[in-house]
């Protein structure tokens, strides 16, 4: 730290965002008490009004960031309608934040099937029983639906519902932010015109 409160950080020298994100996520897994893969997901409806909620990141690589949901839910409908979304990770113990923006694609059936098979049996039943984001008359109605699907799939594997799958955000922007004294934070953004393009890195004012 210099006398004026400014500092250089090793992460600002990084030239590739996915490796940097992987390093930060690994550190978060060691420091965060709950759900280091929790992320705020932002979408917009047909009127351009935004919605945001927490989801769990279930995978990432150079192709993008993957999460799963009911496609008939509010976020599912909004993403299918607009084909774009944004994410914000915040790891409080590390005083770090990562923002992701870009177009969205649907994962392959093979990817969705493979992930669905790893979920707890109760969670797979829940994917069938819950009409996500739609009005629920009572808790009893939900419990009744769970009981019905539990009986239906009492033996053998539980198939993945056709309306339940994954989305992949293919980022055109990934921003890394690290807290510093006096709110003079370190902040870099990787940008590219398309998900297939080369990255440019820009250091940003805090």
């Amino acid at each position: 730290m210099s006398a004026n409160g400014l500092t250089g950080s090793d992460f600002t020298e990084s030239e590739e965002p996915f490796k940097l994100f992987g390093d930060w996520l690994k550190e978060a897994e060691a420091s965060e008490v709950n759900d280091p893969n929790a992320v705020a997901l932002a979408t917009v409806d047909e009127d351009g009004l935004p919605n945001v909620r927490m989801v769990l990141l279930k995978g990432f690589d150079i192709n993008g960031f993957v999460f799963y949901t009911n496609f008939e839910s509010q976020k599912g409908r909004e993403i299918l309608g607009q084909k774009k979304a944004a994410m914000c990770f915040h790891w409080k113990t590390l005083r770090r934040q990562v923002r992701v923006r870009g177009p969205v694609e649907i994962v392959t059936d093979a990817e969705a099937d493979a992930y669905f098979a790893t979920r707890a049996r109760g969670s797979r039943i829940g994917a069938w029983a819950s009409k996500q984001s739609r009005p629920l008359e009572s808790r009893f109605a939900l419990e009744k639906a769970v009981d019905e699907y539990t009986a239906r799939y009492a033996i053998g594997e539980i198939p993945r519902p056709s309306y339940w799958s994954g989305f992949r955000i293919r980022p055109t922007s990934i921003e890394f932010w690290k807290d510093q004294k006096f709110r003079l934070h370190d902040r870099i953004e990787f940008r590219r015109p398309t998900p297939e393009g080369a990255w440019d890195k820009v250091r940003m004012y805090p």
Side-chain angles (χ1 to χ4, degrees):
M1 179 73 69
S2 65
N4 63 12
L6 296 173
T7 184
S9 294
D10 290 342
F11 85 89
T12 65
E13 304 300 319
S14 299
E15 296 298 332
E16 201 287 311
F18 292 111
K19 181 182 184 307
L20 177 57
F21 178 82
D23 291 342
W24 278 22
L25 180 60
K26 185 175 181 180
E27 291 182 53
E29 289 169 348
S31 69
E32 297 297 309
V33 176
N34 294 308
D35 299 325
N37 60 329
V39 57
L41 173 72
T43 58
V44 294
D45 64 17
E46 64 274 13
D47 297 319
L49 189 65
N51 270 309
V52 65
R53 78 288 284 165
M54 301 302 295
V55 300
L56 295 178
L57 180 74
K58 288 301 180 179
F60 84 95
D61 56 23
I62 61 171
N63 296 310
F65 298 80
V66 175
F67 61 96
Y68 291 86
T69 191
N70 184 323
F71 280 10
E72 296 175 355
S73 67
Q74 186 178 57
K75 63 179 172 293
R77 296 193 308 271
E78 289 176 355
I79 292 173
L80 290 172
Q82 307 303 320
K83 302 295 195 304
K84 61 186 70 171
M87 286 179 159
C88 181
F89 298 86
H90 179 232
W91 298 301
K92 189 171 184 178
T93 59
L94 298 174
R95 298 182 179 274
R96 291 174 178 171
Q97 175 179 282
V98 178
R99 295 198 302 158
V100 176
R101 302 174 71 213
V104 179
E105 67 181 17
I106 299 172
V107 304
T108 66
D109 286 344
E111 289 176 282
D113 288 342
Y115 171 67
F116 191 76
T118 70
R119 288 166 61 91
R121 192 172 185 86
S123 295
R124 283 178 277 170
I125 291 292
W128 283 99
S130 175
K131 299 177 182 179
Q132 193 174 349
S133 300
R134 281 154 286 181
L136 173 63
E137 60 188 81
S138 67
R139 182 73 186 183
F140 175 76
L142 176 60
E143 293 172 350
K144 181 179 179 182
V146 169
D147 289 343
E148 290 174 353
Y149 282 104
T150 299
R152 180 180 299 184
Y153 296 116
I155 300 174
E157 289 302 309
I158 302 171
R160 175 177 61 87
S162 60
Y163 52 79
W164 193 99
S165 188
F167 288 118
R168 176 181 288 106
I169 298 180
R170 303 196 64 206
T172 53
S173 171
I174 306 178
E175 182 190 285
F176 296 84
W177 176 98
K178 175 70 172 72
D179 177 83
Q180 296 293 355
K181 288 185 178 180
F182 313 119
R183 305 197 182 211
L184 298 172
H185 314 305
D186 283 321
R187 183 179 172 192
I188 57 172
E189 182 182 358
F190 291 88
R191 304 170 178 172
R192 56 186 178 181
T194 68
E196 295 79 24
W199 292 110
D200 288 322
K201 185 178 74 173
V202 181
R203 184 156 187 158
M204 309 288 286
Y205 274 98

